[in-house]
Each structure stands twice: as C-alpha cells, then as structure tokens.
Amino acid sequence: MREVIVSMLFFAFFGGIDIYAFQAVRVACQKVGKNKKKIIYAIYWSVSIFALLGFLGFIFRIGQVPHSFRGVFSAIVLTGYLTKLFIAFFVLADDIRRFTLWVKRKLNTSPAKSEGGKGTPITRSQFLAKSGLLVSAIPFASMVKGVLHGIHDYRIKRVRLSLPNLPDSFVGKTIAQISDIHSGSFFGLDEVRKGVQMLMAEKPDVVFFTGDIVNNKAEELDRFLEVFSEVKAPMGVYSILGNHDYGDYVRHWTAEDREKNMVHMVRNQQEMGWDLLRNENRTLKIGNDEIAIIGVENWGKGERWPKYGDMEKAYKGVEDKPIKLLLSHDPSHWSHEVIQKFPDINVTFSGHTHGFQFGIRAPGVQWSPVQYVYDHWAGLYQHQNQFLYVNVGFGFIGFPGRVGMPPEITLFELAKT
C-alpha cells in the first residue's frame, strides 16, 4: 500500500512538471511543420515516460541495479527534470496571469483588450514560455558541470579550533577530516587519487574518517584499497562506520550475509592501516600530555536511521581526559544526545548530509535544500563550549554530481583559548 501511494505521488509531481514543460515546447514548435512537430512531441513524451518508469523502478529496487548505471541514469533524469522545473515555473506564471485576466473579464463588462496589438511580434504567453526555455539553460549547464567536473573538484576547508584546557603539546597540531567516500559510486581511480594526494600534501598529524566508506557492500572498497591506503598520519588514521556501511540497505540479505559483510569491512580497514572505532576510544599522547578520541557507531535521529551507537560504552575510560574529540557520523546525534548527556565532549566530527550535493557555499552565504531536514548540515556549529563540524563529504551517492557543494577535505588547527 505504501509503495502504491509513493508511486501515485511520484507520478503526480513529476508528471505535472512534464505537462507544464510541454506547454513551452508547444509554443516553441508553433512554426514547425506538422510532421516534425509530431516527431518532437513523440520524442518528448517517450523520453519522459521512460525516465519516470525507470527512476521509479530504481527507487523500489535499490541495491539490485549497479551503482554506475543507476548513477548515470539518475544524472540524466534529474538534470532533465530540474531543467523542466524552471520551464514549468514560467508556464505556471503565465497560467496565473491568464487566470487573473479571465477573472477580471468576468467582473468587468467593458470590452477586453487584446494581448498583442497591431505590429506586436510576440504575445505575453509566448514571451514567458520562450523565456522559460532560455532560463532553463542555466540549471542545465550547472548540472552538467556538476557531473563532469563537480564530483572531483576537491576543496580544502581550513578551520581553527580554539579549545579550553588543550594541553600545550597539542597546540598547533593539525587534524584532517574526510567523510562519506561512498566508494561504490566512483567510476575511476585516478581522479580519486588526486583527492587523496591533496589531503596528504597538507601533512596532517591525525586523520579522521567519519563514516560511509561504501554504499551497500564492503566489497565496493576492494578496488580502492591501494588508493586509500595512502592516507597516513604520524598520530594515526581513525575511522567510524556510517549508516551505509552495515549492509542494511541490501534487500534479501540474511543476518549471516550482514555479518560476513562486516567482517569484510573490518578487514579492509585494517589492511589500509585505519583504526576503526566501534564504540571505542583511543588516547593520543605527546610526552605527558593526553587527549581522547572517541568513535561511536551510527546513531541517527528518527526511525529511518540505525542506532548502533553506544556512547556510554565508547566514552568509558576517558572521563578524566582534558580534551575529548568525538567521531559520530550523523550530526543529529550531537543535538539529540551528545550535548544533552556529555557536556565535556569538546568537538564532534560528523558527515552524512553531503550538503545534498547541491546548494551554495560561499563566504557569508550557505544554503542547501538539506537545511530543511537537518538543523546542522555543513560547517562549524557551537553550543556553549561544545563544537560540531559537519563535513559535506568526499564522494557522492545517487546523483553523480555536485552543484555548488564541492567535495571537502577539512583541515583543523588546534589552538588554546
């Protein structure tokens, strides 16, 4: 029943966009011959119906279609519908205008004025429809650029963390964070290696990876082991699991399948030399000075996200450390448990949101549709003396592109207040 409702809403929304965008196509084809017009219309609706049926099939069979194929298909469909959405907006504006004029005519008995008088080359309706087609070229070009260039346009974000009680030996030390690699989505090795080399060129003292190294299965990481084994740091590379790393999204898997997947996941991280923290902690020492690193398994707000995290277990044994750094994949964990029950956690490092892989991120301006779902979705946040940093991710999933939300490598410099 749920799938039927989802399907109906899906077709109603996207079908509505198709219908409205088609009105602009009709206007643009007014001077086209009858036979050519039929061909254009047939192509438009054939592609639209194929896209809707195909995309709907992917939604209900996630994990059964190769990610590379689903990614390319998703890019084409989403680019097409975002473009149509802009066209539909102009057509809707014209419908509202014409409806308003119709109401005025009904209320006013004086003769109605014609839209276009003598010598007028184009009506308002034609102008709006063609304007929609023209303006839609902007999101179309942005989406294409996001696919061809955006997914490997790695950027380094530099953040200074000023912490009370930071031991003197750790002042000036650097921590690099990457998150949400989603290795099953990548197409090639060379571009990914460039991002790793950019990270290593910063020579961080410590590296944190905050979850989602695969999409569904641990085997997705196999062909990237050599690349990510290059991620090294003098004081260690510490990682945690994200919601995608448990194999929970693969249909028809048994409990035994998931256990084998987890064994494979742990083995891969060991082979790379990463220290996977599963509700555990580690102590970093420089001389007599110490700070704690706490790694908790995935904990997300709501029923949709798994709650394998056990903060009590992960926290045990580091109560007396002057600085506590927490790795927790989902940023909702910070606001719904960490700051409420663990006020001495100095900084929480998260990922998960990807910044929706779409938005605006510039000095003084930060916007993405994901902000209507997550209160904390990108960058640095503070509650009293506690900080949260949300990394928007190194990789991608679903739509194989990033528009205005480039993949991120974060470099933190530790300072003392």
Side-chain angles (χ1 to χ4, degrees), residues 9-45:
L9 293 174
F10 182 91
F11 278 106
F13 179 75
F14 288 99
I17 293 176
D18 275 321
I19 292 170
Y20 263 90
F22 181 66
Q23 305 310 311
V25 174
R26 289 180 61 189
V27 171
C29 292
Q30 282 181 344
K31 296 182 180 180
V32 176
K34 186 176 181 180
N35 291 333
K36 289 183 179 180
K37 189 180 296 186
K38 287 181 178 179
I39 294 173
I40 293 172
Y41 292 174
I43 292 174
Y44 178 91
W45 285 112

Side-chain angles (χ1 to χ4, degrees), residues 210-243:
T210 46
D212 277 1
I213 202 165
V214 299
N215 293 332
N216 289 302
K217 301 178 181 180
E219 64 188 36
E220 296 167 11
L221 182 61
D222 291 354
R223 69 191 184 104
F224 293 95
L225 288 177
E226 181 183 353
V227 175
F228 288 111
S229 292
E230 297 175 15
V231 178
K232 305 289 184 185
M235 301 179 73
V237 179
Y238 301 90
S239 64
I240 57 171
L241 299 174
N243 54 294

Side-chain angles (χ1 to χ4, degrees), residues 241-256:
L241 299 174
N243 54 294
H244 282 267
D245 295 327
Y246 297 93
D248 289 346
Y249 303 137
V250 182
R251 293 189 176 188
H252 311 303
W253 261 18
T254 64
E256 183 181 1

